[in-house]
Amino acid sequence: MCDQDHFEDDLKKYSRRDLGTMAAAGVGAAMLLPRAADAAEVSGSDVTIKTPDGDCDAYFVAPKTGAHAAVLIWPDIFGLRPAFRQMAQRLAESGYSVLVVNPFYRTMKAPTAEKGANTPIPEVRPLAQSLNATTQTTDAKAFIAWLDAQPQVDKSKKIGTTGYCMGGPIVMRTAAAVPNRVGAAATFHGGGLATDSPDSPHRLIPQMKAQFLIAVAENDDQRDPEAKNVLEKSFAAANLPAEIEVYPAGHGWCPPDTRVHNHEQAEKAWKRMLVLFDKALA
């Protein structure tokens, strides 16, 4: 997961240099995200969420009318930024009330990466290291409680949660922390989902009730090919539906502003997420 020892080597293989140049030049992520033909009209705003550890800055966007199933988005190591606001808006246009948070609010407000997804990993790694299983669980409970208090959220429907890179493990801890609310969970190039650690996220699967989508990066799988098998066995043992697939793309391929963004595979993962949500959050 964002391992500097091989990060530059991976860029040589997976980099989409045209997109990286556009991001560096400040070109908006919106032009890289297709809009559904039947997209709902949405309204978004910056919000502040009180947690046991302080005030978290976040972005909330939902269809302008009605109440809808909620989705909590955990961003990657580069944090809350325009690309994730656009991703949240796109998901809201599909009929969901979406919250994307700044997971590093204890340290600083967003933006937390000076150059967005082009920020050198060593500059942002300390932010990721400032979080742990306890902070992630505390935050998950606070954010879901906040969502349930919003009039745009239909509390009769289950909540979905998605996570990218370091957000993958947080998704799993969210599903375990509030199992009666989280009905669908998706991780995209998530790191450290199944490890030998006593607090490995996969050990929490028996506590979950959500259906899962695990989209694995090709290079992550090459470095840890057994992880997907451990996850598959763990979900099967818990009798939880889980779609686990290795995508022919590099770690970080989904957000549209990363240097390894793969549009074709990102769209495939997005569509699989929508299928999951349509089924599990109905």
Side-chain angles (χ1 to χ4, degrees):
M1 177 181 64
C2 297
D3 188 341
Q4 188 63 19
D5 292 341
H6 60 72
F7 187 71
E8 294 302 326
D9 289 339
D10 290 343
L11 281 177
K12 295 175 184 177
K13 179 177 181 181
Y14 295 105
S15 177
R16 297 299 190 268
R17 298 189 183 279
D18 53 339
L19 297 181
T21 300
M22 292 165 62
V27 176
M31 67 173 295
L32 305 176
L33 296 177
R35 192 169 190 262
D38 58 348
E41 291 297 318
V42 303
S43 177
S45 62
D46 293 329
V47 298
T48 300
I49 302 171
K50 292 189 177 297
T51 80
D53 293 334
D55 292 340
C56 173
D57 49 311
Y59 178 69
F60 181 61
V61 57
K64 289 184 176 180
T65 60
H68 309 269
V71 178
L72 170 60
I73 298 178
W74 299 96
D76 58 24
I77 197 169
F78 302 113
L80 175 57
R81 58 191 190 277
F84 271 87
R85 291 171 183 267
Q86 292 293 342
M87 292 162 69
Q89 179 172 317
R90 184 187 186 192
L91 185 54
E93 289 173 348
S94 289
Y96 299 95
S97 296
V98 186
L99 177 68
V100 55
V101 299
N102 167 21
F104 309 124
Y105 69 90
R106 294 173 180 83
T107 303
M108 62 188 297
K109 292 186 178 299
T112 54
E114 183 178 0
K115 298 179 181 178
N118 288 314
T119 304
I121 294 294
E123 293 185 16
V124 290
R125 184 177 286 123
L127 291 171
Q129 293 173 337
S130 71
L131 305 179
N132 55 48
T134 298
T135 63
Q136 293 166 7
T137 299
T138 298
D139 284 348
K141 293 177 179 179
F143 298 152
I144 287 183
W146 186 90
L147 280 167
D148 274 341
Q150 307 311 305
Q152 300 95 327
V153 173
D154 185 346
K155 291 183 285 295
S156 70
K157 296 183 177 181
K158 296 291 187 179
I159 286 177
T161 183
T162 67
Y164 299 76
C165 180
M166 56 157 265
I170 310 180
V171 158
M172 298 187 73
R173 293 194 172 101
T174 301
V178 198
N180 290 329
R181 289 298 290 123
V182 179
T187 73
F188 305 94
H189 41 86
L193 303 183
T195 71
D196 294 333
S197 172
D199 66 349
S200 172
H202 83 280
R203 302 187 194 281
L204 298 172
I205 290 175
Q207 302 175 32
M208 304 174 192
K209 298 181 180 180
Q211 300 181 44
F212 269 79
L213 167 66
I214 307 289
V216 184
E218 179 181 67
N219 52 342
D220 288 339
D221 180 64
Q222 290 169 351
R223 292 185 174 90
D224 187 7
E226 184 58 24
K228 64 181 180 297
N229 299 325
V230 172
L231 288 167
E232 182 177 359
K233 293 175 182 177
S234 298
F235 281 118
N239 198 31
L240 285 181
E243 176 181 320
I244 303 173
E245 182 177 354
V246 177
Y247 284 63
H251 180 90
W253 88 83
C254 286
D257 63 338
T258 67
R259 287 181 283 173
V260 296
H261 176 70
N262 183 313
H263 179 76
E264 179 182 358
Q265 296 303 319
E267 286 301 295
K268 176 184 175 181
W270 187 270
K271 290 175 182 177
R272 295 309 303 161
M273 176 189 69
L274 291 180
V275 168
L276 170 65
F277 286 173
D278 185 61
K279 175 176 59 176
L281 304 183

